[in-house]
């Protein structure tokens, strides 16, 4: 997984609860990305950050929030506004050659 | 929307070459073609990328047509471990403020 740590590997959310997925990297990459993957589907972009203290919405940002206070960290919060949060969440960084590196993912399920 | 189109699935016999096509008819002159693959429940893994010329590395070869509107990823001697979903994406290298959009990819089944 190339220096990207996602935790936890499995996460369960109760109705109305906010949960935060962790993504930490030690690759010294500036850009970080969050993707959502539903069964049998491709990856859909939630949020991305090119630099510390800055981030942009992807294609499916509603119901999610992020922060980028440190270069190494890009946590994703799945809020209660996200009505269908069950999915596999992937965090990625990109190097200077534009190669993406992915974490091992977090499977989020609703209780 | 993804800028690429790929067949949803393909089969290949073990030991044969697997040829995975990708159409990117709207590609611009400064966009590279990247290939990744995802084995079940893992993060995608980089395979190869190229701009104009054909490229080869230890994993695969990438053939890009002269008009750059399509490309083919070649796994020369497919093994069962190559069973995965393969994604083709295009993007401008060095363009930092840019989304990276994945399509649905091609699910490759290697048959014993």
């Amino acid at each position: 997984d190339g220096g990207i740590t996602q935790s936890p590997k499995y996460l369960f959310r109760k109705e109305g609860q906010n949960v935060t997925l962790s993504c930490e990297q030690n690759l010294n990459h500036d850009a970080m990305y969050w993707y959502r993957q539903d069964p049998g589907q491709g990856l859909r972009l939630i949020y991305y950050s090119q630099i510390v203290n800055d981030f942009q919405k992807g294609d499916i940002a509603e119901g999610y929030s992020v922060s980028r206070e440190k270069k190494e960290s890009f946590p994703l919060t799945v809020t209660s506004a996200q009505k269908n949060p069950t999915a596999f969440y992937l965090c990625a960084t990109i190097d200077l050659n534009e190669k993406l590196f992915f974490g091992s993912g977090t499977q989020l399920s609703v209780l | 929307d993804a800028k690429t189109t790929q067949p949803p699935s393909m089969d290949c016999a073990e030991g044969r070459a697997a040829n995975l096509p990708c159409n990117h008819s709207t590609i611009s002159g400064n966009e590279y073609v990247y290939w990744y693959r995802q084995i079940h429940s893992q993060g995608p893994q980089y395979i190869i990328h190229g701009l104009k010329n054909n490229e080869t590395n230890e994993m695969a070869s990438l053939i890009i047509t002269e008009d750059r509107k399509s490309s083919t990823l070649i796994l020369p001697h497919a093994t069962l471990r190559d069973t995965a979903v393969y994604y083709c994406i295009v993007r401008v290298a060095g363009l930092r403020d840019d989304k990276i959009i994945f399509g649905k990819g091609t699910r490759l089944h290697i048959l014993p």
Side-chain angles (χ1 to χ4, degrees):
Chain A
D1 295 320
I4 300 171
T5 302
Q6 288 190 244
S7 62
K9 189 169 179 63
Y10 299 97
L11 185 60
F12 297 91
R13 192 190 91 166
K14 296 178 181 178
E15 290 286 339
Q17 185 183 38
N18 293 351
V19 292
T20 297
L21 285 62
S22 171
C23 178
E24 302 282 329
Q25 56 113 347
N26 61 5
L27 300 170
N28 200 34
H29 292 164
D30 287 321
M32 299 186 73
Y33 300 80
W34 272 107
Y35 289 91
R36 167 181 172 141
Q37 187 172 36
D38 293 282
Q41 302 296 314
L43 284 67
R44 291 188 290 167
L45 183 63
I46 306 173
Y47 268 98
Y48 62 108
S49 168
Q50 301 292 339
I51 198 168
V52 173
N53 292 323
D54 188 40
F55 48 83
Q56 286 80 39
K57 293 182 179 180
D59 295 327
I60 56 165
E62 185 174 351
Y64 300 96
S65 66
V66 293
S67 63
R68 188 83 187 277
E69 297 177 1
K70 299 187 299 182
K71 188 175 187 177
E72 301 80 14
S73 180
F74 191 39
L76 174 74
T77 296
V78 184
T79 75
S80 57
Q82 172 49 248
K83 298 306 179 188
N84 185 23
T86 296
F88 187 53
Y89 290 86
L90 285 159
C91 176
T93 68
I94 194 165
D95 69 4
L96 294 177
N97 291 318
E98 301 294 312
K99 295 179 190 176
L100 284 165
F101 294 82
F102 284 86
S104 56
T106 293
Q107 176 64 50
L108 175 63
S109 302
V110 176
L111 291 175
Chain B
D1 290 338
K3 300 178 184 178
T4 62
T5 56
Q6 299 176 253
S9 67
M10 292 182 63
D11 292 338
C12 179
E14 190 178 15
R16 303 296 295 270
N19 298 290
L20 292 92
C22 180
N23 287 324
H24 29 81
S25 58
T26 61
I27 193 170
S28 59
N30 58 351
E31 286 185 309
Y32 284 70
V33 180
Y34 288 78
W35 282 85
Y36 292 83
R37 74 178 182 185
Q38 185 179 25
I39 297 171
H40 183 63
S41 296
Q42 297 181 22
Q45 173 194 24
Y46 167 84
I47 301 173
I48 199 167
H49 75 285
L51 181 64
K52 296 182 186 178
N53 300 321
N54 299 337
E55 302 286 345
T56 296
N57 63 20
E58 65 279 3
M59 290 181 68
S61 294
L62 174 60
I63 309 297
I64 302 174
T65 58
E66 192 167 343
D67 64 7
R68 302 189 68 239
K69 293 186 177 181
S70 65
S71 60
T72 301
L73 177 74
I74 301 173
L75 308 177
H77 304 287
T79 71
L80 295 177
R81 288 177 294 180
D82 292 322
T83 293
V85 177
Y86 288 76
Y87 297 98
C88 166
I89 65 172
V90 296
R91 64 178 275 102
V92 178
L95 183 64
R96 286 296 169 186
D97 188 20
D98 187 30
K99 300 178 182 179
I100 302 177
I101 305 298
F102 283 75
K104 295 185 178 179
T106 295
R107 186 171 297 275
L108 177 66
H109 300 276
I110 305 300
L111 306 174

